[in-house]
């Protein structure tokens, strides 16, 4: 049993530990993830949350503050692509 658990730890077969968090130190589900995130006491990697602001998400947040619905078509796709490329350049 212990050998089986050691073999599947951090893989998709592991139903207890999050394989994404195990591999890269981040999970898109964050605290809502149904699996366990083992956070190390120290790491060589720095995670800075919310550095890149997705244009569609920003439009949704702005619309919510103004009390209206957002139409994703309102976001200029070419401008969003350019901002993405500049950010990761």
């Amino acid at each position: 049993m212990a050998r089986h658990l050691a073999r599947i730890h951090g893989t998709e077969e592991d139903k207890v530990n999050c394989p994404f968090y195990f591999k890269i130190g981040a999970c898109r589900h964050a605290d809502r993830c149904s699996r366990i995130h083992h956070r190390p006491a120290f790491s060589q990697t720095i995670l800075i949350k919310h550095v890149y602001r997705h244009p569609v998400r920003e439009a949704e947040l702005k619309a919510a503050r103004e009390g209206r619905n957002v139409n994703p078509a309102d976001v200029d796709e070419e401008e969003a692509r350019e901002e993405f490329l500049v950010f990761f350049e």
Side-chain angles (χ1 to χ4, degrees):
M1 181 61 143
R3 190 174 294 153
H4 172 71
L5 292 175
R7 183 183 63 78
I8 68 168
H9 181 76
T11 67
E12 290 294 322
E13 294 178 48
D14 189 349
K15 300 300 180 195
V16 176
N17 302 295
C18 181
F20 299 106
Y21 197 87
F22 180 76
K23 291 175 190 171
I24 62 173
C27 173
R28 66 180 176 178
H29 302 293
D31 294 333
R32 294 181 310 275
C33 185
S34 62
R35 297 180 182 180
I36 296 173
H37 295 162
H38 293 283
R39 291 175 172 82
F42 62 92
S43 174
Q44 295 177 351
T45 304
I46 297 173
L47 174 63
I48 304 172
K49 295 181 178 184
H50 308 296
V51 172
Y52 175 73
R53 306 300 289 230
H54 193 280
V56 173
R57 182 67 179 134
E58 286 296 305
E60 290 172 347
L61 292 172
K62 182 178 179 184
R65 283 192 300 267
E66 296 172 356
R68 60 182 177 81
N69 292 329
V70 68
N71 183 358
D74 292 343
V75 177
D76 181 16
E77 194 171 316
E78 188 60 37
E79 183 180 334
R81 185 182 318 280
E82 184 63 30
E83 287 179 15
F84 178 83
L85 293 173
V86 167
F87 179 82
F88 284 105
E89 190 172 77

